[in-house]
Amino acid sequence: MNKTRCTIVRVAFAALVATVLATVHGVQAQPGPQRANFVRLVVPEADTVQATSGFYRLSAGTVPGNHLTLNGAPLKVYPSGATAGLLPLNVGENLFTLTATSPRGDSVSKSFLVIRLRPPETTPDSVLAIDTIMSEPSQELWLNEGDRLDLQFKGTPGCKASNDLGIPMTEVPPAYTGGLGGVYRGVYMVRDGDTLSLRRIRFRLESPAGAVAETLSRGAVSIRCNDFPYIGVTKGDRPALAYGLGEDRLGGAKMSFINPGIRLAITGRKGAMYRAALAPGHEAWIAVANVDLIPKGARLPAALTENWVVYGDAKYDYVTVAIPLRLPYSSSTETSPTRINVDVYGATSNTNWIIQQLTTKEVTNVYYTEPSAGVFRITIELRHRQIWGYEIGYNPAGLVIKVRRQPEKLKIKALTFALDAGHGGENLGALGSTGVFEKDINLAVVRELKSILEDRGARVVLTRESDADLTMGDRVRKVVSSGADLLISVHSNSVGLTTNPDNTRGTATFYKHVCYRPLALAIVKQVLKTGVPLFGNVGSFNFSLNAPTELPNVLVEMAFVSNPQDEMMLTDPEFRHRIAQRIVDGVDDFLDSCDE
Ligand SMILES: [Zn+2]
């Protein structure tokens, strides 16, 4: 999965690409006396790197059969020549030297430097200063009535802190700051009628002797109680509503992907995200880049729902809800009984009838409830235990939920599979100690899967057939527009930079929507038969290719390429064939379970 460090590594590995590809395709380089000795540093990703924690991942390799030491201490070397571990770091510079010694006794070394940054320290009393670090607000803020404005800066302890908004600030006891002195904080709850035109806040620190230091906050603040809400309209490809402002590597937890052209009431901003008020007690965050603000006076996102028509055509069932404005929505699924719930925010019922044609084949019943003010919930009950996908969108008359039917023949030969080989091109994915790239392993397994499925008579669509870099949006678009029945994403896992790669291994499947859990579970149970241990079946996974509701989908993280034992499996063509076969066996089990 790991994407972050790819570009740095690319240069360092350019010379090794030939070796890597040879390994991936099973053409192992020939061992022999003529083979040059080498030591290959994979992680850290450069000769000099910086760290903030006390540990850094080590992944490195040498010629199989060599002896490896780190600063003179022997390392465990796997039969592949791989080694992996965790480097303990002192604050400041840590110089490491890896030395590979061949059975003939010739040695080659590689040195690298890991600089552990000094953690923030209390400013000495002798210096009157305000540090630039830890200053809050750190991003542009638009605040509304009831929002909290947190002020913070770090400076010389024992002084008097103030700011040009007149918000009281106090020095926090070091027991509440991890031992750091001189951290000053203030809090203000925005009140009705407050205004502040966008600007940075001036902090002031006065020493007991009367000396003064001043600085500006990093982020600018605007208070707009009298002006909110602004009216926004979504734009771009599958804009996402997020629950909050999480910033981990998968992005904030997603509530729902929605369409362009949807109207939102914007009541705040933090950095690159707008806050949208969906309904009383319901809010979501959306990227500023996905919203156009439109002039005041345009209709706010609130509307009465009108009448429904429920019908089927040759391929799909439809639930259409007439509504005069495109409102935001989110959806969820239930498995027992099988239901799709679509919550439309800002909608209030004036639905006085629901026309149900007798042409639906999957939808058995529909109705609505209003679980809270401004939340109009459409519930769709289905015939089968398994949900095979649904798509939510708008046409000029209103909301349309297109429901896929269970395939008539639950056989691999009757289905279309979308296969996604993770990463590609400059996006190398995770890195193995022998210098293997995740992107190559993924593609090799996807090719195995394709061949097994096609031999079984299935139609197969690949998001990428070669070493190409595609965006997540491109991948999702390709999958959904292909009309595939099932999506399998193939990746190889990695630990992060502060975890010991030697201790974490195993296979995992991932799903987001609970209705697609049976597919993930069936596959992981079969994959375990390859002998790779279990890492887990992981739900609520906030990954772009687990987000589509349009078809059952699963992400398979086959094993940890960062773990030398798992890496030996992943670079073995025979294992790659077996795991592909087991994934297909899992699909067979899933299809059988749908029939019960
Ligand atoms: Zn990956």
PDB file of all heavy atoms in Angstrom, residues 88 231 246 379 489 498:
ATOM      1  N   PRO A  88      17.852   1.611  16.399  1.00  0.00           N
ATOM      2  CA  PRO A  88      17.605   2.520  17.522  1.00  0.00           C
ATOM      3  C   PRO A  88      18.397   3.812  17.298  1.00  0.00           C
ATOM      4  O   PRO A  88      19.533   3.780  16.829  1.00  0.00           O
ATOM      5  CB  PRO A  88      18.157   1.744  18.729  1.00  0.00           C
ATOM      6  CG  PRO A  88      19.132   0.779  18.168  1.00  0.00           C
ATOM      7  CD  PRO A  88      18.817   0.551  16.723  1.00  0.00           C
ATOM      8  N   ILE A 231     -23.075  29.346   0.144  1.00  0.00           N
ATOM      9  CA  ILE A 231     -23.672  28.251  -0.631  1.00  0.00           C
ATOM     10  C   ILE A 231     -22.617  27.720  -1.583  1.00  0.00           C
ATOM     11  O   ILE A 231     -22.007  28.487  -2.338  1.00  0.00           O
ATOM     12  CB  ILE A 231     -24.922  28.731  -1.396  1.00  0.00           C
ATOM     13  CG1 ILE A 231     -25.915  29.311  -0.388  1.00  0.00           C
ATOM     14  CG2 ILE A 231     -25.554  27.586  -2.170  1.00  0.00           C
ATOM     15  CD1 ILE A 231     -27.001  30.121  -1.018  1.00  0.00           C
ATOM     16  N   GLY A 246      -9.272  14.253   9.770  1.00  0.00           N
ATOM     17  CA  GLY A 246      -8.149  13.321   9.859  1.00  0.00           C
ATOM     18  C   GLY A 246      -7.210  13.510   8.680  1.00  0.00           C
ATOM     19  O   GLY A 246      -7.655  13.810   7.570  1.00  0.00           O
ATOM     20  N   THR A 379     -35.063   3.610   2.477  1.00  0.00           N
ATOM     21  CA  THR A 379     -34.653   2.228   2.752  1.00  0.00           C
ATOM     22  C   THR A 379     -35.128   1.328   1.617  1.00  0.00           C
ATOM     23  O   THR A 379     -36.291   1.404   1.203  1.00  0.00           O
ATOM     24  CB  THR A 379     -35.211   1.750   4.105  1.00  0.00           C
ATOM     25  OG1 THR A 379     -34.638   2.569   5.128  1.00  0.00           O
ATOM     26  CG2 THR A 379     -34.857   0.299   4.380  1.00  0.00           C
ATOM     27  N   SER A 489      -8.679  -5.818  -5.851  1.00  0.00           N
ATOM     28  CA  SER A 489      -7.452  -5.021  -5.877  1.00  0.00           C
ATOM     29  C   SER A 489      -6.346  -5.851  -5.239  1.00  0.00           C
ATOM     30  O   SER A 489      -6.564  -6.462  -4.196  1.00  0.00           O
ATOM     31  CB  SER A 489      -7.611  -3.734  -5.063  1.00  0.00           C
ATOM     32  OG  SER A 489      -8.586  -2.922  -5.637  1.00  0.00           O
ATOM     33  N   THR A 498       8.674   3.278  11.370  1.00  0.00           N
ATOM     34  CA  THR A 498       9.081   3.163  12.772  1.00  0.00           C
ATOM     35  C   THR A 498       8.739   1.795  13.360  1.00  0.00           C
ATOM     36  O   THR A 498       8.783   1.601  14.567  1.00  0.00           O
ATOM     37  CB  THR A 498       8.403   4.258  13.625  1.00  0.00           C
ATOM     38  OG1 THR A 498       6.997   4.144  13.450  1.00  0.00           O
ATOM     39  CG2 THR A 498       8.856   5.642  13.201  1.00  0.00           C
TER      40      THR A 498
END
